[in-house]
Every structure is written in structure tokens, then in C-alpha cells.
Amino acid sequence: MSEHRLFFAFWPDEATRAALEAARAGLFPLSGRPVEPANLHVTVAFLGGVEASRLERLAALAGPVAPFTIAFDRLELWRKPKVLTATSSQPAPRAAAIVDGLWQRLDRLGFARDPRPFVPHVTLARDVRSVRPGLRWTTVAWTVDRVCLVESTVAEAGVRYLPLA
Ligand code: ATP
Ligand code: MG
């Protein structure tokens, strides 16, 4: 039986991805491993390993949402997971509602929600223990218009995320 490592995400369009990359380029040199540009995303709901037979039901939960914008306007170093993230100083009620609605449906399919509150964030680099003082981040306004189901795969070049639906 084959398992797929899955999560739901906000997946950037090309312009948003380019803006994230450009903003991050302004932070270099960084002490950790930058996330591959093609992998930059916002995790909405992490599922973990899922049987292939369940893919179709899950894919049906992905799709368009009424557009809204999140301003990723600050940097945070999360010391325990050692990730450098872009976050928002504003609450994101629309994103939170999407996450809640998704988890209601996932709950019925037997998936368990992480008890930690949802914090929209873009992981920019991993294995970051410290950053230079005075790092400047350029705000990235990200307009969300869909939720994607994404598969996390491991290739020779490292982890790679592939949007499925
Ligand atoms: P690696 O685990 O090899 O460092 P990764 O974390 O980039 O790679 P995955 O573990 O497949 O890749 O994670 C996919 C996405 O889901 C990432 O955004 C990751 O931060 C998030 N994620 C992973 N595990 C959890 C979890 N237990 N709860 C919430 N989000 C998670
Ligand atoms: Mg991981």
C-alpha cells in the first residue's frame, strides 16, 4: 500500500513567489538552509502519510476561495524549530476561517488537528539558530484565492512539494 505525505497549503502565484524570493534575497547571508524557491508556501493543514485511496476525497476539499490578502510584514525566528519565517502583524480571520472549515471536514475523514493555534507563516529558511541584528524585510502582500492539496516528496535534490489539486 502506498502512502503520500500530504498537506493543504496556500500556494503562491509566480508574482508572489518572485516577491518572496526577492525579499528573502535581501536577508542573505543567512546561517541556515534557505527553502527552495519552488517550495515556498503557507501550510494550512498538515496531514502526514495518507493512503493513495483517500487522495480523491482530499483533493475535493481543495479549490478556490473568495480572495483576500495577507501582508507578510515581519520576520520571526522560531527558536525551537529553528526556522526563519515571514509572518503578519495583522490577524488573518479569513485564513483562520478557511483552516477551521477545512478541519471540520478533515475531522469527519478521521484526521486529527494539531492543537497549536494556526499562525499563517512562510518558512524562509531552516536550521537557523540566529540572525544578524537589523535584518530588513520587505513586506510581501499575498493574495490568496485557492487552497491547494500538496504532496511532499523526497528526491535526490531534497524535499520537493508538488501541488496535486
Ligand atoms: P523535512 O521534514 O524533511 O525537514 P519539510 O518539513 O520541509 O521537510 P514536510 O515535513 O513534508 O517537509 O512538511 C511539509 C509542510 O508541512 C511544511 O510546511 C512543514 O513545516 C509542515 N509540517 C510538517 N510537519 C508538521 C506538523 N506536524 N504540524 C504542522 N505542520 C507540519
Ligand atoms: Mg518536516
Side-chain angles (χ1 to χ4, degrees):
M1 282 189 290
S2 76
E3 282 216 331
H4 297 255
R5 186 173 174 87
L6 301 177
F7 59 101
F8 286 94
F10 299 144
W11 199 252
D13 62 18
E14 286 312 308
T16 305
R17 190 180 298 288
L20 288 165
E21 253 194 282
R24 185 178 57 174
L27 307 176
F28 290 155
L30 281 174
S31 69
R33 294 181 291 126
V35 171
E36 277 293 311
N39 280 352
L40 292 165
H41 69 279
V42 174
T43 301
V44 168
F46 181 76
L47 303 177
V50 177
E51 277 299 311
S53 60
R54 311 189 73 189
L55 273 173
E56 215 172 317
R57 304 273 314 262
L58 291 168
L61 303 182
V65 297
F68 63 95
T69 300
I70 303 175
F72 289 96
D73 59 359
R74 65 180 189 195
L75 282 181
E76 283 184 49
L77 176 59
W78 293 355
R79 292 184 184 276
K80 199 166 172 216
K82 297 196 270 306
V83 290
L84 182 65
T85 63
T87 60
S88 180
S89 60
Q90 303 298 314
R94 299 285 309 285
I98 287 169
V99 171
D100 289 348
L102 189 56
W103 273 115
Q104 276 176 26
R105 290 179 289 174
L106 288 170
D107 182 65
R108 279 183 234 130
L109 296 177
F111 293 95
R113 183 175 184 171
D114 188 321
R116 291 172 298 180
F118 172 68
V119 179
H121 66 278
V122 184
T123 297
L124 301 169
R126 297 178 182 280
D127 298 331
V128 180
R129 285 160 200 280
S130 63
V131 293
R132 286 174 286 126
L135 271 190
R136 294 270 298 275
W137 172 251
T138 310
T139 297
V140 175
W142 179 333
T143 298
V144 173
D145 64 1
R146 74 192 65 196
V147 176
C148 295
L149 178 64
V150 183
E151 174 161 12
S152 173
T153 64
V154 181
E156 267 173 61
V159 68
R160 183 67 200 264
Y161 308 136
L162 301 172
L164 303 177

